[in-house]
Amino acid sequence: METKTIFKRIIDREIPADIVYEDDRCLAFRDIQPQAPVHILVIPKKEIPSVNEVSESDENLVGHLFVVIAKLAEQLGLKSGYRVVVNCGPEAGQSVMHLHLHLLAGRRLNWPPG
Ligand code: 5GP
């Protein structure tokens, strides 16, 4: 039986999401459990489980995700700053095995992170 991740189901429009950007290679939507006033997830449409599985053939795609982050930051007027987070593996708290960049903004973000 096919088991899709929740993000693949969002890509396939099987479950709804508050989509803020889409193109042929990626999708950006608001996190269902926001950790900051702005909390957007940017994901490739290609199914890459985590950073561990990123290969040289994905270099352009992964760069594109950052271009989209920069565009969103401009559109949303995140002039005071923002944070981009990628959790990889259980100890980092990765809960969905489909590569995703968290874009967090709208409040003071402490360092070191929790
Ligand atoms: P991770 O913990 O893997 O780095 O991040 C996964 C993120 O996906 C979490 O912040 C979680 O709130 C979000 N998330 C999980 N399920 C859904 C969903 O069905 N819809 C949306 N929009 N976000 C989700």
Side-chain angles (χ1 to χ4, degrees):
M1 200 184 80
E2 188 190 13
T3 50
K4 287 186 182 182
T5 66
I6 198 90
F7 291 173
K8 177 61 176 160
R9 295 186 68 200
I10 289 173
I11 292 167
D12 291 345
R13 300 302 202 273
E14 291 174 5
I15 58 168
D18 186 356
I19 294 170
V20 296
Y21 177 85
E22 180 170 24
D23 63 30
D24 57 329
R25 286 183 286 171
C26 76
L27 192 64
F29 52 91
R30 293 192 189 276
D31 196 292
I32 204 165
Q33 221 179 322
Q35 301 301 315
V38 175
H39 189 172
I40 291 169
L41 301 169
V42 179
I43 69 171
K45 289 187 174 175
K46 178 179 176 185
E47 288 185 274
I48 302 170
S50 78
V51 173
N52 286 332
E53 288 78 28
V54 171
S55 67
E56 283 177 18
S57 65
D58 299 317
E59 283 179 356
N60 199 277
L61 174 61
V62 173
H64 179 64
L65 300 180
F66 278 92
V67 172
V68 169
I69 292 268
K71 275 185 189 161
L72 288 170
E74 169 77 27
Q75 278 169 21
L76 297 167
L78 307 181
K79 295 193 191 327
S80 335
Y82 57 89
R83 185 170 291 166
V84 181
V85 173
V86 184
N87 296 318
C88 182
E91 201 152 303
Q94 184 178 4
S95 60
V96 180
M97 293 307 285
H98 183 119
L99 183 68
H100 51 282
L101 278 59
H102 296 256
L103 169 60
L104 296 151
R107 67 168 171 85
R108 180 83 197 172
L109 297 163
N110 296 324
W111 195 264

